[in-house]
Amino acid sequence: MMEVPSFTLTRQMANIGPELLETMETVLNTGQFILGSFVKEFEEKIARFTGTPYAVGVGNGSDALYLALRSLHIGPGDEVLTTPFTFFATAGSILRTGAKPVFTDIEVDTFNMDPEQVRTRITPRTRAVLPVHLFGLMADVERIRRNSNLFVIEDAAQAIGAEARGKVAGNTGDLAAFSFFPTKNLGALGDGGMVVTHSEELVQLLRELRAHGSRKKYYHEVLGINSRLDGLQAAVLSVKLVYLPTWTAKRQYIAQRYQEGLNALSVDDVALPVVPLGFTHVFHQYTIRAARRDELQAYLKSHGIGSTVYYPLSLHLQPVLRDLGYKAGDFPVSEKAQAEVLSLPMFPELTEQEIDYVIETIAQFYGRKAG
Ligand SMILES: Cc1ncc(COP(=O)(O)O)c(C=O)c1O
């Protein structure tokens, strides 16, 4: 039986480990461990990559979201619109500011915030919209903007390099947050994050907020936090950024192979990822919907294939958010997704045999023959 992990970094390390070690040695020799030249260099690279003038390296993606919100002076009494179908950090970062997350349901086929519902949730307290580019497909920020004139903060944690109508993730919002958590398409060897923005005024405040609200050392004007990218991670990420386009192309190729193989099975109760016209998906995850999801996942597991449910419980139903007053049935599309989604193995080093094996095993489960 073949073993196919849902995700692994060991193959990437086998390929570029020696190059990373060499880079890390350079950092060790300079002693620039927190912020410093490696971070500055990487910030400039991300700014160029996303086509935004400013980038601020922070400790992780969750802090990137929190600091983006804080830079807009969002806090107690404010509301921020977001999606219930995402990783907890999205809503958690809103709550950390003292503001209230207000959810809007998602679209059936993209898993992203439904732009048409945004308008219905706006109140006089709404300050910003925080769409998530889930699984590597950008939310439709252009349509979200048509439905509101609020600040937009992109949660681009899963979507580095994705595009919508010619604009790259990070470039459609007033601010955007990236995560370099190791499993992300561009992952560090630990935690890391970045905020990008077009605004010179915001970038100044962001730099203060990540360093305890101080512009001049030991003088504190606003209440910030300690959340800075470190030199080792920045140097490693700079090396990895060079490989990112190739890795993304590999992910897209694997997605295409899954798409062709699974489409050919014509199973009615399975839906494959949809990429709207004009959008480029970077397939952080390849997520299908299956009515018999749990059975399928167990079957894959018994055949050595890893798969993951992102996410089993929508945020409006999370116990810690109970005070927001939501209940089951409030966001039916998100709740249906949590019962049906399954992310198949996806990482650039998957082999042809492994892709075939995943498709064949799914075919077997449904009593079909893979082409
Ligand atoms: C959609 C989304 N938002 C935010 C985050 C938070 O990033 P981090 O883990 O770097 O804090 C993540 C990843 O973990 C994520 O997937």
Side-chain angles (χ1 to χ4, degrees):
M1 186 172 72
M2 204 185 283
E3 291 284 334
V4 188
S6 177
F7 179 81
T8 177
L9 277 170
T10 53
R11 300 180 197 181
Q12 186 192 92
M13 286 308 144
N15 291 336
I16 64 165
E19 194 179 345
L20 296 185
L21 280 173
E22 212 175 288
T23 302
M24 289 166 82
E25 202 173 347
T26 316
V27 181
L28 298 195
N29 290 335
T30 65
Q32 298 211 24
F33 295 126
I34 299 285
L35 298 179
S37 64
F38 298 102
V39 172
K40 192 159 180 290
E41 203 179 299
F42 180 58
E43 287 174 340
E44 284 163 9
K45 285 181 179 163
I46 289 295
R48 268 202 301 280
F49 188 85
T50 57
T52 47
Y54 306 106
V56 181
V58 298
N60 54 67
S62 307
D63 285 352
L65 286 168
Y66 168 76
L67 293 171
L69 290 157
R70 286 285 316 277
S71 75
L72 294 173
H73 303 284
I74 287 171
D78 295 332
E79 293 178 359
V80 178
L81 300 184
T82 192
T83 160
F85 197 62
T86 174
F87 179 58
F88 181 77
T90 312
S93 62
I94 298 169
L95 280 160
R96 272 169 78 196
T97 68
K100 183 176 152 190
V102 175
F103 298 116
T104 68
D105 212 345
I106 55 168
E107 296 176 315
V108 176
D109 49 359
T110 66
F111 301 115
N112 281 328
M113 185 182 238
D114 183 344
E116 302 310 320
Q117 290 195 30
V118 166
R119 198 195 307 253
T120 66
R121 308 260 161 198
I122 295 172
T123 75
R125 291 173 179 264
T126 316
R127 293 283 319 282
V129 190
L130 205 175
V132 179
H133 305 323
L134 202 70
F135 303 145
L137 175 69
M138 284 177 72
D140 199 334
V141 174
E142 195 178 305
R143 276 173 58 216
I144 289 171
R145 284 199 189 276
R146 248 183 267 147
N147 283 289
S148 71
N149 55 3
L150 300 160
F151 289 115
V152 174
I153 301 169
E154 298 170 63
D155 183 339
Q158 302 187 3
I160 191 157
E163 287 182 20
R165 303 188 188 91
K167 280 203 159 188
V168 72
N171 202 305
T172 60
D174 297 279
L175 295 133
F178 289 96
S179 162
F180 306 117
F181 185 78
T183 59
K184 295 292 190 272
N185 288 23
L186 179 65
L189 305 179
D191 276 314
M194 187 79 74
V195 186
V196 298
T197 180
H198 289 92
S199 160
E200 196 177 344
E201 196 186 318
L202 293 181
V203 80
Q204 190 54 47
L205 184 52
L206 285 163
R207 287 193 186 122
E208 288 172 34
L209 287 169
R210 75 174 165 183
H212 286 302
S214 105
R215 186 175 296 190
K216 190 172 154 202
K217 220 173 180 185
Y218 306 123
Y219 292 82
H220 303 270
E221 288 151 45
V222 287
L223 182 63
I225 58 173
N226 172 17
S227 185
R228 302 163 299 195
L229 188 60
D230 71 69
L232 276 168
Q233 300 307 344
V236 161
L237 288 163
S238 280
V239 171
K240 286 195 175 194
L241 185 60
V242 178
Y243 292 94
L244 183 65
T246 316
W247 290 338
T248 301
K250 275 303 298 283
R251 287 175 182 275
Q252 289 162 338
Y253 169 75
I254 295 161
Q256 191 194 328
R257 290 274 273 100
Y258 278 151
Q259 204 84 358
E260 286 165 7
L262 298 177
N263 235 333
L265 306 181
S266 8
V267 178
D268 285 343
D269 61 0
V270 169
L272 305 179
V274 167
V275 185
L277 204 67
F279 284 61
T280 308
H281 201 315
V282 294
F283 290 102
H284 175 57
Q285 300 297 341
Y286 183 89
T287 305
I288 65 170
R289 281 174 181 272
R292 292 161 60 204
R293 190 265 315 275
D294 294 342
E295 276 173 78
L296 173 61
Q297 184 174 34
Y299 188 82
L300 291 174
K301 189 172 177 214
S302 70
H303 287 76
I305 299 171
S307 63
T308 313
V309 175
Y310 301 109
Y311 295 92
L313 189 62
S314 299
L315 297 191
H316 67 288
L317 303 176
Q318 294 288 345
V320 65
L321 301 185
R322 68 176 80 76
D323 289 351
L324 294 176
Y326 292 106
K327 58 184 186 314
D330 282 348
F331 302 107
V333 187
S334 182
E335 289 168 37
K336 193 162 188 317
Q338 78 186 32
E340 293 185 342
V341 286
L342 191 65
S343 297
L344 302 182
M346 175 54 85
F347 50 93
E349 301 81 11
L350 266 181
T351 66
E352 294 288 343
Q353 292 87 334
E354 287 170 330
I355 301 167
D356 285 336
Y357 180 62
V358 173
I359 296 167
E360 277 159 26
T361 311
I362 295 175
Q364 258 171 37
F365 175 77
Y366 287 104
R368 304 283 204 282
K369 214 172 143 15

